[in-house]
Amino acid sequence: MMGITYFRTAETLITGTGSIAQIGEQAKKLHASRVIIITDKIIRQTGLLSKVTEPLISLNIEMDIIDDVIPEPPFENLEQMITKIEGKGYDLLIGVGGGSALDITKVLSVMLTNKKNVRDMIGIENIGNPGLPTILVPTTSGTGSEVTYNAIFTDTRDMVKKGIVSPYLLPNVAIVDAELTLTVPPAVTAATGMDALVHAVESYTAIRADELTDGIALQAIKLISRSLRKAVYNGRDIKAREDMAMGSLLAGISLGNAGVGAVHALAYPLGGRFKVPHGVANSLLLPFVMKYNVVANLEKFSEIAKAMGENIEGLSLREAADTAVTALAQLSKDVGIPASLKDVGVTSTDIPSLAEEASKIDRLLNNNPRWLTVKEIKEIYEDAYGLVEESSTVLV
Ligand SMILES: [Fe+2]
């Protein structure tokens, strides 16, 4: 039986090398006269912003820039920025940067139209009114934030990552231009690219996956698998960057609609407590969670292997599915992501509390193809720490 599903994405998606030049016209179409550009200091230093500001200047659109975004932002980052931008008459917010800058832009836009404390917006559909218009411009190929309707922040009170989820967070326009990613350093390219791959793999195998998201996710897996190594080791390879930009966008669209699962759930406590960058945490955990998930959907894992370019001819369905897990682990290793929790500052005594914390993230765990309780989550962390023998029940 086919269930009823919703499919949502940015109102307008503009892609292609050089597409950033259209940002001025897009701002005009949204009747913007006074724009605030939201970014971080690193982006500002790269000089990349001129590609955004010049088309606006040439159309006489007034603008200010705020570069206060910090990585893996806490709620305080939003609270501090809103005081600087409210009451200034801005009629369009343009977010330029990685996931943090884009998530902040999305939430600032609704903070400006809702007289509500941002902490009261945590959770699903807790925003009363639509926000001010937004244009989102990713400068990394990874988070997919430009097409998702959630935004993730760190709660410094309990060091837990919390999400704000509402269709009002979708932008009016997303501009995805590979040219903006050419100078992203290898380690960031690797972490963000693997995050995108995790979005594609997790949403493809998710409980909420449907026919619409399946095709999009598989294409994302194909593009990312064939080009991530090239993008990491030769950042100037525009073809590889284009594949990554498109792959990450497609993965974001799939994630935005089918959701993600246990990899993200297990990654969040690592981000919150150990400050492991989101992409690194996801990539590190991906092979271990998939080793556990694979039996829940052999057909889909065998399709993943195919999309990754693995030769599965003559293999049984089970063998083909396992090939996907091996290929994902190999890709993560090839792009230099640590393969053990030991490498990111976790000790074995941290595992029980990490598992306890991850087990509370029902929003994601309920969407994972295989049911996990705190016991299994602990086993997966132990496996990622190197504590589990190959013959363990984790493998079934
Ligand atoms: Fe992610």
Side-chain angles (χ1 to χ4, degrees):
M1 190 188 76
M2 238 175 107
I4 298 168
T5 59
Y6 284 72
F7 188 85
R8 295 180 177 121
T9 191
E11 209 172 277
T12 302
L13 271 176
I14 305 177
T15 61
T17 303
S19 55
I20 191 63
Q22 300 190 6
I23 197 163
E25 295 150 47
Q26 291 302 318
K28 273 272 178 239
K29 276 191 188 144
L30 292 168
H31 308 291
S33 58
R34 195 162 150 74
V35 171
I36 178 78
I37 296 174
I38 296 156
T39 190
D40 60 48
K41 298 205 164 43
I42 296 172
I43 297 285
R44 202 165 186 183
Q45 281 159 12
T46 60
L48 216 62
L49 279 187
S50 63
K51 285 185 183 290
V52 174
T53 54
E54 273 161 21
L56 297 169
I57 293 166
S58 72
L59 292 174
N60 298 317
I61 298 169
E62 252 185 76
M63 83 190 80
D64 288 321
I65 298 170
I66 181 167
D67 62 3
D68 293 354
V69 173
I70 56 175
E72 318 278 329
F75 285 105
E76 288 81 357
N77 200 189
L78 285 162
E79 287 159 350
Q80 166 250 334
M81 286 175 80
I82 194 76
T83 59
K84 290 194 185 175
I85 65 169
E86 67 189 348
K88 301 262 172 75
Y90 297 122
D91 49 17
L92 172 67
L93 284 75
I94 298 180
V96 184
S100 303
L102 305 191
D103 278 4
I104 289 229
T105 304
K106 285 148 71 169
V107 176
L108 287 177
S109 96
V110 292
M111 284 171 84
L112 287 167
T113 54
N114 288 269
K115 294 280 159 256
K116 214 174 174 182
N117 188 301
V118 65
R119 285 171 191 272
D120 296 328
M121 296 182 185
I122 296 170
I124 298 167
E125 308 225 10
N126 288 326
I127 301 174
N129 307 309
L132 289 183
T134 52
I135 298 180
L136 299 182
V137 182
T139 58
T140 60
S141 293
T143 66
S145 172
E146 69 279 9
V147 282
T148 66
Y149 52 96
N150 46 43
I152 310 290
F153 299 92
T154 306
D155 192 337
T156 47
R157 292 174 190 176
D158 49 14
M159 290 318 278
V160 172
K161 291 236 177 173
K162 293 181 181 165
I164 298 175
V165 184
S166 160
Y168 293 146
L169 297 184
L170 282 168
N172 298 76
V173 180
I175 301 179
V176 181
D177 184 342
E179 227 168 53
L180 300 176
T181 68
L182 284 172
T183 54
V184 178
V188 179
T189 303
T192 51
M194 283 303 294
D195 185 29
L197 184 61
V198 172
H199 296 158
V201 170
E202 283 217 280
S203 61
Y204 179 61
T205 53
I207 302 280
R208 279 165 46 209
D210 61 35
E211 298 289 345
L212 267 167
T213 56
D214 278 358
I216 293 170
L218 274 181
Q219 183 65 11
I221 294 170
K222 183 178 155 190
L223 295 176
I224 296 167
S225 304
R226 81 176 179 204
S227 287
L228 179 57
R229 291 177 182 87
K230 288 182 201 148
V232 169
Y233 293 109
N234 179 12
R236 290 269 151 203
D237 182 337
I238 184 71
K239 183 77 196 64
R241 293 291 196 183
E242 283 172 345
D243 273 1
M244 287 308 300
M246 187 53 84
S248 148
L249 172 66
L250 293 171
I253 295 172
S254 181
L255 138 81
N257 291 286
V260 283
V263 177
H264 274 74
L266 271 69
Y268 282 136
L270 294 179
R273 270 175 50 196
F274 294 91
K275 299 270 174 294
V276 184
H278 177 71
V280 172
N282 271 335
S283 184
L284 194 161
L285 291 166
L286 176 68
F288 302 100
V289 176
M290 292 304 137
K291 204 157 90 176
Y292 187 84
N293 279 352
V294 70
V295 284
N297 201 331
L298 293 175
E299 291 81 6
K300 279 203 160 172
F301 277 95
S302 124
E303 289 299 321
I304 291 173
K306 233 192 281 176
M308 293 186 78
E310 296 296 313
N311 182 4
I312 58 166
E313 236 184 78
L315 297 184
S316 70
L317 186 60
R318 176 65 206 257
E319 287 165 340
D322 283 341
T323 306
V325 181
T326 319
L328 290 169
Q330 187 63 53
L331 180 52
S332 180
K333 197 171 157 225
D334 282 353
V335 297
I337 306 277
S340 165
L341 286 179
K342 284 178 196 159
D343 304 327
V344 293
V346 176
T347 63
S348 60
T349 51
D350 296 317
I351 291 177
S353 60
L354 284 173
E356 201 54 56
E357 217 174 283
S359 71
K360 289 182 200 144
I361 313 178
D362 293 340
R363 174 173 74 87
L364 302 176
L365 293 175
N366 290 341
N367 197 33
N368 194 61
R370 188 170 167 186
W371 184 245
L372 281 96
T373 69
V374 69
K375 177 178 165 285
E376 288 86 22
I377 293 172
K378 199 169 145 264
E379 280 179 348
I380 294 171
Y381 278 131
E382 284 169 353
D383 197 13
Y385 192 82
L387 289 172
V388 173
E389 298 293 318
E390 273 309 286
S391 59
S392 153
T393 50
V394 171
L395 291 163
V396 180

